[in-house]
């Protein structure tokens, strides 16, 4: 569709987007009011409102109650380096998710048993309702929350072993590969599926973001042979991070 044939609200949004990009509307500047947009572009109130909604959906502007709509200061996008899995040396949960050795971080976690949902059961090759150990992580860099992870391990594999609790016992706080090796399971492959979706309110609260903004979701499963031993959903704010994969050729 030629530009001139675009819906009016998209033409207005495109022009405002250019002004944000070239600095004519710098970060923290107030977006022209609905009345100003209507007058400047010769459009209706409905068109002006829809144009503002487009920019808000794109994360370029944010509304402030009783004050108006303002240009957001976009964060610098940082890398989350991933390499699949590690078989040599000690590996912490943080290093398991961020393999860039230059990035140092910490994590908080909480584990509890639950019944596997249909989705988790399918990923772990178990029956819905089977017992799993669920562990929720919040990963931080320099005190800033950067990543969430929820992992599930089948208790048919880890139950009544020294590694049943990922963050306790003799191997507490080590990565999946090392923990599973302690119970004679050799993790030799991992799958990851990456998708996007709007961030949920509880996730964005933990990550210091805005509910509804896009997040990257990595659905990861570790295997020992053909047997899944852990599956996890890793959540990363899409406006602050990009995923960088290093995949060796064998």
């Amino acid at each position: 569709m030629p530009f001139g044939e675009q819906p009016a609200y998209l033409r207005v949004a495109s022009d405002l987007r250019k002004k944000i990009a070239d600095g004519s509307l710098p970060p923290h500047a107030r977006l022209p009011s609905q009345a100003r947009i209507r007058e400047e572009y010769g459009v209706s109130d409905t068109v002006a409102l829809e144009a503002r909604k487009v920019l808000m959906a794109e994360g370029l502007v944010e509304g402030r109650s009783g004050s108006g709509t303002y240009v957001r200061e976009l964060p610098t996008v940082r890398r989350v380096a991933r390499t699949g899995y590690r078989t040599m040396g000690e590996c912490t949960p943080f290093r398991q998710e961020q393999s860039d050795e230059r990035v140092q971080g910490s994590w908080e976690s909480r584990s509890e048993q639950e019944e596997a949902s249909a989705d988790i059961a399918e990923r772990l090759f178990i029956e819905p309702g089977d017992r799993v150990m669920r562990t929720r992580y919040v990963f931080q860099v320099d005190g800033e929350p950067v990543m969430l992870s929820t992992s599930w391990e089948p208790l048919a594999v880890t139950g009544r072993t020294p590694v049943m609790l990922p963050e306790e016992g003799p191997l507490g706080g080590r990565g999946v590969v090392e923990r599973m090796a302690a119970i004679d399971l050799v993790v030799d492959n991992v799958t990851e599926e990456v998708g996007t979706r709007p961030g949920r309110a509880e996730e964005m609260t933990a990550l210091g973001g805005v509910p509804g903004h896009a997040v990257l979701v990595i659905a990861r499963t570790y295997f020992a042979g053909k047997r899944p031993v852990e599956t996890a959903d890793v959540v990363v704010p899409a406006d602050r991070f990009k995923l960088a994969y290093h995949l060796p050729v064998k």
Side-chain angles (χ1 to χ4, degrees), residues 15-198:
D15 190 66
L16 291 171
R17 189 184 302 112
K18 289 178 181 177
K19 291 181 178 180
I20 293 172
D22 66 19
S24 299
L25 285 171
H28 309 296
R30 185 174 180 176
L31 198 71
S33 66
Q34 191 167 310
R36 177 71 178 274
I37 292 174
R38 182 189 63 213
E39 295 172 3
E40 182 175 346
Y41 293 94
V43 296
S44 66
D45 281 334
T46 299
V47 169
L49 178 60
E50 290 302 313
R52 288 155 63 93
K53 286 182 178 179
V54 168
L55 298 179
M56 291 186 73
E58 293 175 349
L60 295 175
V61 301
E62 59 185 356
R64 299 179 188 174
S65 180
S67 178
T69 304
Y70 293 81
V71 178
R72 291 184 64 218
E73 182 172 5
L74 299 181
T76 301
V77 176
R78 292 182 284 175
R79 295 171 67 251
V80 173
R82 304 186 68 77
T83 59
Y85 64 93
R86 295 180 168 218
T87 57
M88 300 296 291
E90 296 182 0
C91 178
T92 66
F94 181 85
R95 191 58 58 216
Q96 180 175 282
E97 306 301 352
Q98 164 62 280
S99 64
D100 190 339
E101 298 287 355
R102 296 167 297 180
V103 179
Q104 301 300 318
S106 60
W107 69 93
E108 300 173 0
S109 66
R110 184 181 67 194
S111 297
E112 57 187 342
Q113 295 187 34
E114 69 176 17
E115 295 182 352
S117 66
D119 173 61
I120 296 305
E122 182 177 5
R123 288 160 61 172
L124 289 174
F125 298 174
I126 60 178
E127 294 297 321
D130 284 358
R131 303 296 292 177
V132 294
M133 184 66 71
R134 182 191 69 201
T135 304
R136 289 177 170 155
Y137 293 89
V138 178
F139 296 99
Q140 301 173 331
V141 174
D142 297 328
E144 176 191 358
V146 298
M147 188 187 315
L148 305 177
S149 176
T150 303
S151 70
W152 296 266
E153 295 178 355
L155 287 173
V157 172
T158 62
R160 298 185 179 181
T161 74
V163 300
M164 184 174 75
L165 289 166
E167 297 299 308
E168 297 182 23
L171 291 177
R174 303 288 179 87
V176 171
V177 175
E178 189 172 357
R179 289 177 50 249
M180 294 302 159
I183 56 174
D184 299 323
L185 290 172
V186 178
V187 174
D188 55 8
N189 66 100
V190 59
T191 64
E192 289 195 350
E193 297 181 0
V194 182
T196 62
R197 60 166 170 78

